[in-house]
Amino acid sequence: MTSEELKTSDYYNGFLRKYDAIWSACIGFSNDDDEWCLVMERGDAGGFYTDREQADLVRFGAYLDRAAQLARQLAYANATGMLDAFAALGCASFLLDHAGCVIRHNAQAERLLGNGLMLARGRLRCDRAPDSLALGQLTAALGRSAAAPPVVVHRLSKRPLVIQGIPLAGLASAIFSPATAILLISDTDLRPPPTAMETTQQMFGLTVMESTVLSLLEQEVPLPAVAEVIGMSYETARSHLKRILSKTRTTRQAELLSLLARIQRAPT
């Protein structure tokens, strides 16, 4: 476009002239997933981009390609490191991209595929259509970095799964990162391992027998069955429970189990 054509252009007169942004140059670059465009504009003082300047910009585009690729690799490594951390904690997790598609998952998440969840064309689906709809709404909200309630995924012959979404922040969510969010899945059918008996003995001064009773209670074994497993009367088992409650400064079995759950969640 010539200078004379610019002067008769509505776009020039209505916008470009106001900001003295007449001449533009665009540099295209990409990483493995996305294409980007860096736009530079200048006014009449700078004039038209010469052939030499255009050649320089083309060479500069190659450096932008490498920078975008490096930034993507660093951000992806940071995000996948989170998956490994959740795996070490025994938590199933899926890494999502900007479109809500799964780009990676850990071993615990793999065991849930076909066990309440399925992966179709990169997207998570549930056995029940309403649950799939709710999960889609959750992933859509995460794509907007918006808060969303957890999703309960019902299963035919097992207790439900609970899915919580966490938007990524920092390096893991940088502009060139392919990842935007992590889904954490809690399987309510799984029981965590009981608190180590050595831990309860050291923390509360329990005897070996008391810590054994407590370990069985933590595994949802009813007190009468605890007495039968250990080989004692029900009254003796009740006496042990009373001493455990006293030493842990709790008043009810439910409060006692809640205390153990907090101990399990405490960082080590």
Side-chain angles (χ1 to χ4, degrees):
M1 182 177 289
T2 65
S3 298
E4 291 303 318
E5 289 173 328
L6 278 175
K7 292 178 182 179
T8 59
S9 166
D10 292 336
Y11 180 54
Y12 166 74
N13 291 295
F15 179 74
L16 295 179
R17 186 172 63 175
K18 178 180 178 182
Y19 297 102
D20 192 28
I22 302 173
W23 305 104
S24 299
C26 301
I27 307 174
F29 61 102
S30 64
N31 55 30
D32 288 346
D33 300 303
D34 300 296
E35 294 182 348
W36 306 82
C37 183
L38 176 63
V39 179
M40 295 179 291
E41 295 179 330
R42 67 189 186 190
D44 268 333
F48 183 78
Y49 284 89
T50 66
D51 291 342
R52 180 176 178 179
E53 288 175 323
Q54 293 180 45
D56 289 339
L57 294 178
V58 170
R59 286 193 293 271
F60 183 52
Y63 291 102
L64 288 178
D65 280 335
R66 290 196 285 272
Q69 182 65 30
L70 178 60
R72 179 192 183 279
Q73 292 172 350
L74 290 173
Y76 184 66
N78 187 274
T80 54
M82 295 181 185
L83 287 189
D84 295 337
F86 285 122
L89 296 172
C91 182
S93 52
F94 292 87
L95 190 63
L96 304 183
D97 66 8
H98 299 74
C101 294
V102 174
I103 53 179
R104 185 169 171 178
H105 56 279
N106 59 21
Q108 289 85 345
E110 178 71 27
R111 288 193 284 269
L112 293 178
L113 296 178
N115 187 17
L117 295 174
M118 63 190 78
L119 199 54
R121 296 182 179 179
R123 294 186 179 275
L124 278 178
R125 296 288 185 265
C126 310
D127 292 336
R128 299 173 68 245
D131 296 343
S132 289
L133 177 61
L135 181 56
Q137 292 170 341
L138 171 62
T139 57
L142 292 171
R144 303 189 302 271
S145 298
V151 173
V152 176
V153 177
H154 299 86
R155 297 185 287 182
L156 294 177
S157 57
K158 294 184 177 181
R159 295 185 179 120
L161 303 172
V162 180
I163 303 180
Q164 181 178 0
I166 302 178
L168 295 179
L171 176 60
S173 64
I175 187 170
F176 296 114
S177 173
T180 57
I182 285 182
L183 295 180
L184 301 180
I185 294 86
S186 299
D187 188 346
T188 58
D189 221 28
L190 295 179
R191 297 175 183 171
T195 307
M197 290 193 291
E198 293 82 1
T199 300
T200 56
Q201 290 170 25
Q202 292 175 7
M203 293 185 69
F204 306 115
L206 302 184
T207 66
V208 173
M209 184 56 68
E210 289 166 351
S211 62
T212 301
V213 170
L214 180 56
S215 180
L216 290 170
L217 290 174
E218 191 178 3
Q219 297 175 70
E220 301 181 10
V221 179
L223 190 59
V226 170
E228 184 177 347
V229 168
I230 296 178
M232 62 176 63
S233 68
Y234 174 69
E235 291 302 322
T236 301
R238 283 191 62 189
S239 297
H240 281 302
L241 177 57
K242 288 179 181 178
R243 287 194 292 272
I244 293 169
L245 292 174
S246 176
K247 290 181 179 181
T248 57
R249 298 183 181 181
T250 55
T251 57
R252 303 184 309 278
Q253 186 172 328
E255 184 183 358
L256 173 63
L257 295 178
S258 176
L259 171 63
L260 293 177
R262 293 197 298 274
I263 294 172
Q264 289 270 32
R265 292 195 298 268
T268 57

